[in-house]
Each structure stands twice: as C-alpha cells, then as structure tokens.
C-alpha cells in the first residue's frame, strides 16, 4: 500500500519531526490539537488539523476514539503515534487497523507483549535475554535493599520510587501506584533490585515484515533526573566491541521473540562494577520511536521516520544496516528549574533560537517565538543534537550552541546542560545514573552568568532602557536620558535577578562619557535600544537586550544569559503575604492534602501535593510550626502563587 496522507496522533516536537519527513516524501499531513494547543506550531504547520475538545491529555490526545475519528474525517490513510500518549497502546493500534487505516508501528500483539514490564521480563528471560529478578512487595528483605518500585505500564520515569529502608516501602508503592494510574491508567507496580550507579544502555532496532531485524548500535542515556533522560549519546563510552556485539544480539533476540515490525528500542541496565564489566540486564522494550532517535540518525545517516513509513508500506530492509561514523550527543531542553527540585515552568516563550554554525548541529523543537508552555503536557521545549568526529568535539560544539541560544520567557535547564557537557567527569566518559547526584546540583545548576556578569547585564539593560526612553521623548530628543549641565545625582534602575536578588545600577551621562557607580575600569563604547557594548578593563563585551513589556528584560552575552525583572519606581500598594505562607509553585490540581488546621508539622514535612505536567510536586513546611490556615482542597485547580496554607513557627504561635 502507499501512504498518501498521514495523521500524527501526537503534539509538539515529535509531530513536527514526523511532518518534516512527510513533506520530503510528498505525503500529506494531518494534526490533532487540544484547545491548549490551538495555536501550537504542529497544529499550524500541518496541511489539515482536527480539534480534540478539551485541554487535559485524558480528554484529548489519550482518546483513541477521537483520534481515529479525526483521521477518518480528514481523509488520512495512515496514523503515526509518535512517542508517549497512545504510542504503546495496543487497543489504539487495533482501532486504527479496524478503521481500515495503516498503522505505522509494530503489530498490536507485539505492543501488548511489551506493555506490561512484568510479563515482558518473563518473555525476555525465556528468549535468553538477561533480566533482573522481580521482587514481590512481601518478599523484599533488608538484604534486597535498595530496591526500585516501577510502574508495570508506561515509562518516562513516572511511577518510580527508590526505597532504601523497609519502612519506606508501603508509602513508596502507594505513591508510585497513584502516579502510574494518573499517567498510564494502570496502577500496577513491581519491585526489582536497584543498581545504585548503573549505566543505561539501549539499542535501536528496526524490523521488516520478512524477518530482517537491524540493530543500529547502542545509545547511552545514563544522565537522568527523576529517572527521566536528560542527555543521550552514541556510541557509549562504556561499550567495547565484544559488549556491543552481545547487546545487539540480545536486542535482535528480543525483537524476534515478539515478531516485531518497525522501529523500536530495547533498553538495558549495565553494571558499572569493574568486576562485572560487560554485564547488562533487560529493562524494557519501547515499541515506538524514541525521543533520542536523532542520535542514531546522526551517527548512521538514516531517517528512521522514513524507514518506519517504508516498512509500513511493505518495503524490505537490506540485509545489513549502514555503519555508524563519528560521535553524536543529544540534550533535552526542558522548561524547568533544576535548582528548585526540577520544578516545571510555565509561561510564554518570547524568543527561541539556537544558532547553527555549519554542519553537525540539529534542533528538533516543539516551540517557536510566542509559544505558550502550559501545565497540561511535558515541559520539553526542544532537543539539540551535535555530531562530530570525536566525543570531545561533539560536546564542545553542543555546549557552544547552547550558550549562544536565545531562550527568553521561561526558566530552562540550559545552564545545567552546558555544565554537564563541560564537566571533566563527563568528558572522561565517567557517566552513570547517579551522575547528577554525585556531582551535586548546587554546582551543576549554577547559572553560567556570575555575579559580575549579572551586574554588567543589568547595566546594559538600564542603558538600553535609557535609549528607548530618549527615542520616545517629545522634547530634547537629542540629549542623553537624565542629562544635566552641572554634576548631579546618577540615574538609578533596579532589577530582580535570579534567586530573588535585587540589583541596582547607577549611571550618569557626562561630557566625558558614562560614569557607572561601583564599577572601576568600565567604559561605555556604545548603546542602543537593543543592547550595549561595554569595555571592562580594556576588554569589550557586547550585550544584546530584549525587553518584553514592563515585566521582563532578557540580556544575552558571552558572559552568560541573564533574565531581569524591572522594579517599578512607584510600586502599586498591595496586600502583604502572611509569614509562613506556602505558595503553589506552578498552576496545577491539588492531588493530596496531608494535614489539617491546627496540626503540628516539622520542617520539610509534605503539606500538599500538586499535580502538573503529569508529575506530582510536593509543597513542604519551611520550618517546624503549626498549620494556621489551609486553603488547599483535593481536586481544586490553583494558579501559580496561590496561597495553599500558612504554617506559623512555634515561637510566633507562642507570641
């Protein structure tokens, strides 16, 4: 059969990526979109788009009946599931086939056999693939610790908890089960031994209908947060030739055992202990295209989406896959704050641009200038991939591109990614699933711009603001802002920078140039409404300044990106928050309330759990005290900054 019009049952970056290959092949495209995604790039760029009423994933992208109906109404003859949502739902695959459409994915039975991690491990063991033992809750002993509680359905780090003591186990199982039910609709969880610092290695496979199965080499995805991948690369610095051969052999055996068709990934956990070098265990098989598939594409030169479509049309693969060349690294750029518990961020992405310096750099983005990051979906903004002859070259190319990127409007993990790529341990290939914990978020999440860079950026922002004011002045437009013909007080401008610091800059225009308070050896070279060039100790620095209304100024320079919020000269009087107020860190739904008014609580005790972006986020007591007020109610929707509770410290209560 020939595919003429394809519906992508997904959103964001992966939908745009599939559409790109379709355009190259001359295949028509159909998007589905929720109300929250009405203006999203994937909905705008498709040839046709069909609305799925509502915003929550459960009401839209997870409704197989609505998606299949959309495909039929739009005249699509094939459906590509992307990743996440319904991509590993066997019933959805059957519904697509029952509607007379081509399913761009593996057979429903193959999806079903891998859909339950518990059943999949037994199937893989029978096929000779090494697996970790499964532990029933009642059978876990002290000798088994630590153990990992995992959701049987789904993935992406959701429904996972590490348990290091037996008393923690029941609560961890309950929490993991609740999260799994919310994310995947299946509360089933199980336990297995936890390798404290394992290496996450996976093999990309591709199979056709004639029984040919390609293993296109391994990827390493060990650097993770909350059991979710942050950085992926190929080839793995851990894997040598003999281990690679055994990994590929195990992956092919896994795919063959379930009669696989199309693109998929077999994931393994490698034991980093030198005494067990080369030992690995089956984790799961993702019966879909992986988020990190561009790493393999860069290394082998293949287009995996093109091959998926070809296999779905009945094409036969050559006997051997193309050989890899070079080294590729991918990072996932998230709207999140690593320094504050990886808290997801929401808001408008005013500017998104990653410079491409020559060949070897690829950006797969789900956002454009003006896109809105909502609470309804995963906060992934984009994937940035670098290919180079060596691993060191790829890391340097990728770090440089990220530093030069313009990302305005939301906090991201960009600074952490750059620090990881430049970290000596990473460059030495010493990576495992405990990398971020071992090297410390305090250091890795530290902003690229130091205090001096923040002050200079604030100065550039103030000078650019002065130029904008002069451009709009009705009289004396030719004079600098604040000009006096006799010495006078400097002009002052205050900004709130990261971590809530207030930065004040003072400057005065004189006949000899601009004089800046608190800076020795600083000279203004030039300034415009869009930036300034400042000379510091004889070295020139260019600062690009972008102002977004009265609330946000973004300054980019080689010293590091800085976001500033101008402090109004005449602030509006407003109500003061009560001491001890616990605020919602983001918009979301109240998932659980663990206290009542009058309860005594300890510092760090979880008061409320908030569900947003398919994850649960804890709001804890800042100190020992008493719950004085409680406004959080289970099921209620709250906005960022809403007061959830007020905890009064014991000494205040006594007073």
């Amino acid at each position: 059969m020939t595919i003429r019009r394809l519906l992508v049952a997904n959103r964001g970056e992966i939908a745009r990526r599939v559409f790109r290959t379709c355009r190259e092949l001359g295949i028509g495209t159909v998007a589905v979109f929720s109300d929250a995604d009405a203006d999203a790039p994937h909905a705008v760029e498709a040839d046709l788009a069909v609305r799925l009423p509502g915003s929550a994933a459960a009401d839209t992208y997870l409704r197989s009946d609505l998606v299949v109906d959309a495909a039929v109404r739009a005249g699509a003859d094939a459906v590509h599931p992307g990743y996440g949502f319904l991509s590993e739902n066997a019933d959805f695959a059957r519904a697509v086939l029952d509607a007379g459409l081509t399913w761009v994915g593996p057979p429903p039975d193959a999806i079903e056999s891998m859909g339950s991690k518990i059943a999949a491990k037994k199937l893989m063991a029978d096929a000779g693939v090494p697996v970790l033992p499964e532990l029933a809750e009642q059978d876990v002993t002290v000798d088994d610790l630590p153990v990992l509680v995992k959701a049987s359905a789904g993935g992406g780090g959701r429904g996972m908890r590490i348990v290091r003591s037996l008393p923690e186990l029941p609560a961890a199982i309950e929490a993991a089960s609740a999260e799994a039910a919310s994310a995947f609709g299946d509360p089933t969880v199980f336990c297995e031994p936890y390798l404290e610092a394992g290496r996450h290695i996976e093999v990309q496979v591709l199979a056709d209908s004639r029984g040919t199965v390609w293993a296109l080499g391994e990827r390493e995805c060990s650097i993770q947060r909350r059991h979710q991948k942050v950085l992926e690369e190929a080839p793995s610095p851990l894997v040598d030739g003999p281990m690679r051969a055994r990994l590929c052999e195990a992956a092919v055996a896994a795919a063959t055992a379930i009669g696989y068709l199309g693109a998929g990934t077999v994931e393994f956990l490698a034991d980093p202990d030198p005494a067990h070098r080369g030992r690995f265990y089956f984790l799961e098989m993702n019966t879909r295209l992986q988020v990190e598939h561009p790493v393999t594409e860069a290394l082998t030169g293949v287009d995996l989406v093109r091959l998926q479509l070809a296999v779905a049309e009945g094409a036969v693969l050559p006997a051997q896959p193309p050989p890899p060349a070079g080294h590729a690294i991918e990072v996932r750029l998230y709207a999140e704050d690593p320094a504050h518990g990886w808290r997801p961020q929401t808001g408008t992405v005013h500017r998104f641009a990653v410079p491409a310096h020559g060949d070897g750099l690829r950006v797969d983005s789900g956002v454009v200038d003006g896109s809105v990051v909502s609470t309804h979906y995963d906060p992934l903004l984009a994937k940035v991939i670098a290919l180079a002859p060596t691993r060191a070259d790829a890391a340097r190319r990728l770090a440089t591109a990220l530093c030069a990127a313009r990302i305005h409007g939301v906090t991201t993990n960009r600074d952490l990614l750059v620090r990881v790529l430049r970290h000596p341990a990473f460059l030495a290939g010493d990576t495992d699933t405990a990398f971020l914990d071992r090297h410390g978020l305090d250091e890795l999440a530290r902003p690229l711009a130091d205090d001096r860079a923040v002050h200079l950026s604030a100065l550039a922002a103030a000078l650019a603001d002065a130029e904008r004011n002069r451009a709009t002045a009705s009289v004396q437009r030719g004079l600098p802002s604040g000009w006096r013909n006799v010495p006078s007080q400097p002009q002052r401008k205050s900004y709130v920078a990261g971590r809530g610091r207030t930065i004040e800059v003072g400057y005065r225009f004189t006949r000899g140039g601009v004089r800046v308070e608190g800076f020795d050896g600083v000279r203004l070279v030039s300034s415009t409404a869009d930036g300034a060039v400042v000379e510091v100790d004889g070295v020139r620095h260019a600062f690009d300044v972008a102002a977004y209304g009265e609330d946000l100024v973004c300054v980019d320079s080689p010293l590091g990106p800085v976001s500033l919020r101008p402090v109004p000269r005449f602030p509006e009087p407003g109500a003061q928050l009560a001491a001890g107020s616990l605020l919602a860190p983001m918009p979301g739904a109240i998932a659980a309330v663990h206290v009542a008014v009058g309860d005594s609580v300890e510092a760090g005790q979880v008061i409320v759990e908030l569900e947003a972006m398919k994850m649960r986020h804890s709001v804890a007591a800042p100190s020992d005290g008493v719950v004085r007020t409680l406004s959080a109610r289970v099921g209620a929707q709250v906005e960022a900054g809403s007061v959830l509770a007020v905890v009064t410290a014991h000494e205040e209560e006594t007073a």
Side-chain angles (χ1 to χ4, degrees):
M1 77 291 293
T2 300
I3 297 174
R4 293 183 173 83
R5 182 177 293 170
L6 178 79
L7 179 141
V8 177
N10 221 292
R11 64 178 299 277
E13 169 269 323
I14 184 57
R16 298 182 78 197
R17 188 266 170 272
V18 175
F19 290 158
R20 185 169 67 244
T21 290
C22 287
R23 285 193 294 270
E24 294 172 358
L25 295 174
I27 296 174
T29 56
V30 182
V32 287
F33 64 91
S34 68
D35 291 342
D37 278 341
D39 298 318
H42 81 277
V44 174
E45 294 170 359
D47 298 329
L48 302 172
V50 182
R51 174 179 174 248
L52 305 177
S55 291
D59 299 327
T60 54
Y61 299 107
L62 288 172
R63 284 282 302 274
S64 59
D65 56 334
L66 296 182
V67 174
V68 172
D69 178 67
V72 173
R73 286 193 289 130
D77 49 25
V79 173
H80 191 298
Y83 54 71
F85 294 132
L86 295 167
S87 62
E88 294 178 281
N89 186 308
D91 289 338
F92 175 57
R94 291 190 181 98
V96 170
L97 294 170
D98 290 344
L101 307 174
T102 298
W103 168 248
V104 184
D109 289 347
I111 297 174
E112 207 158 54
S113 62
M114 292 290 107
S116 165
K117 292 184 177 66
I118 296 173
K121 289 178 69 169
K122 295 175 180 176
L123 186 61
M124 292 299 99
D126 292 341
V129 179
V131 300
L132 286 168
E134 179 192 338
L135 303 171
E137 176 185 355
Q138 64 273 13
D139 295 334
V140 177
T141 67
V142 173
D143 294 337
D144 296 318
L145 299 174
V147 297
L148 183 64
V149 180
K150 297 177 67 174
S152 180
R158 296 178 179 88
M160 285 190 182
R161 296 292 187 279
I162 300 171
V163 177
R164 303 185 187 280
S165 68
L166 290 181
E168 299 174 24
L169 186 59
I173 288 176
E174 181 180 356
S177 180
E179 194 168 272
S182 174
F184 315 120
D186 183 349
T188 307
V189 297
F190 66 98
C191 303
E192 68 182 16
Y194 178 63
L195 294 185
E196 199 72 56
R199 306 276 291 245
H200 190 125
I201 312 292
E202 61 187 32
V203 177
Q204 176 71 56
V205 296
L206 188 75
D208 65 18
S209 58
R210 301 291 182 85
T212 299
V213 181
W214 281 1
L216 290 97
E218 85 285 350
R219 299 184 290 253
E220 176 154 355
C221 314
S222 295
I223 297 182
Q224 303 178 3
R225 52 84 165 122
R226 289 179 169 177
H227 309 292
Q228 291 180 302
K229 301 164 188 173
V230 174
L231 182 150
E232 302 99 356
E233 62 177 313
S236 164
L238 173 73
V239 177
D240 57 18
M243 183 179 179
R244 179 168 297 115
R246 290 186 292 108
L247 279 164
C248 290
E249 181 181 349
V252 170
T256 302
I258 61 173
Y260 201 74
L261 182 71
T265 301
V266 186
E267 301 193 351
F268 301 95
L269 189 65
D271 193 332
D273 189 337
H276 303 150
R277 184 170 179 82
R279 189 177 296 179
F280 57 84
Y281 306 94
F282 172 82
L283 280 177
E284 62 184 1
M285 183 174 183
N286 294 132
T287 53
R288 53 169 167 79
L289 200 64
Q290 288 278 85
V291 179
E292 58 272 23
H293 75 274
V295 173
T296 298
E297 291 186 326
L299 211 62
T300 60
V302 304
D303 181 333
L304 286 171
V305 173
R306 183 187 293 256
L307 289 173
Q308 279 187 298
L309 297 171
V311 167
E313 291 179 325
V316 177
L317 297 173
Q320 297 297 326
H327 198 99
I329 305 176
E330 172 185 287
V331 292
R332 302 188 189 189
L333 192 62
Y334 283 101
E336 65 183 10
D337 187 354
H340 290 87
W342 306 99
R343 184 180 297 163
Q345 303 293 297
T346 59
T348 301
V349 181
H350 296 293
R351 178 85 172 115
F352 184 85
V354 180
H357 299 295
D359 296 332
L361 195 71
R362 168 176 166 180
V363 180
D364 285 11
S365 170
V367 299
V368 295
D369 294 357
S371 291
V372 175
V373 181
S374 75
T375 61
H376 299 291
Y377 317 112
D378 188 273
L380 177 68
L381 299 180
K383 305 177 309 195
V384 187
I385 307 98
L387 173 68
T390 68
R391 187 171 184 269
D393 288 343
R396 179 171 54 198
R397 177 175 290 174
L398 190 48
T400 300
L402 290 170
C403 285
R406 301 295 190 252
I407 309 168
H408 299 166
V410 291
T411 300
T412 73
N413 64 338
R414 181 250 302 270
D415 291 5
L416 175 132
L417 296 174
V418 172
R419 291 199 180 279
V420 168
L421 289 165
R422 291 175 172 172
H423 198 282
F426 174 79
L427 295 174
D430 183 15
T431 60
D432 56 43
T433 54
F435 184 93
L436 298 180
D437 293 332
R438 187 170 64 254
H439 295 290
L441 278 181
D442 287 346
E443 174 59 26
L444 292 174
R446 184 166 52 88
L448 295 174
D450 59 19
D451 287 344
R452 185 170 177 80
V454 172
H455 278 82
L456 289 170
S457 297
L459 171 62
L463 294 171
D465 182 61
E467 291 292 340
R468 285 192 294 274
N469 290 337
R470 182 170 68 168
T472 58
S474 57
V475 295
Q476 304 287 5
R477 188 173 296 180
L479 293 178
S481 172
W483 169 263
R484 298 289 187 276
N485 60 358
V486 293
S488 181
Q489 292 299 309
Q491 295 190 78
R492 299 187 185 279
K493 188 79 173 176
S494 296
Y495 298 93
V496 176
R499 315 295 169 92
R501 294 176 300 158
T502 298
I503 309 294
E504 184 178 82
V505 292
Y507 61 94
R508 184 161 57 87
F509 290 97
T510 71
R511 289 184 175 86
V514 174
R515 293 191 176 181
V516 183
E517 277 191 343
F519 284 98
D520 295 325
V522 174
R523 183 178 74 86
L524 175 64
V525 177
S526 63
S527 62
T528 68
D530 300 319
V533 177
V534 177
E535 187 174 275
V536 183
D537 298 328
V539 179
R540 289 188 177 185
H541 300 269
F543 296 84
D544 294 333
V545 179
Y548 300 99
E550 300 295 324
D551 300 324
L552 177 65
V553 179
C554 296
V555 184
D556 293 288
S557 78
L559 299 178
V562 175
S563 292
L564 303 166
R565 297 197 175 275
V567 177
R569 293 180 64 186
F570 306 106
E572 294 282 340
Q576 295 293 315
L577 289 173
S581 294
L582 304 186
L583 307 182
M586 69 200 75
I590 303 298
V593 178
H594 297 288
V595 297
V597 173
D599 285 357
S600 292
V601 295
E602 298 178 351
Q605 181 177 337
V606 176
I607 305 298
V608 174
E609 289 185 69
L610 187 69
E611 190 166 286
M613 295 181 175
K614 300 187 286 185
M615 297 288 286
R616 285 198 174 193
H617 310 274
S618 298
V619 179
S623 61
D624 294 352
V626 176
V627 179
R628 192 174 72 184
T629 64
L630 185 65
S631 55
R633 299 288 182 271
V634 174
Q637 290 286 333
V638 296
E639 296 298 322
S642 300
V643 177
L644 304 177
V646 176
V647 175
T648 304
H650 287 304
E651 54 270 22
E652 296 176 20
E653 197 74 18
T654 302

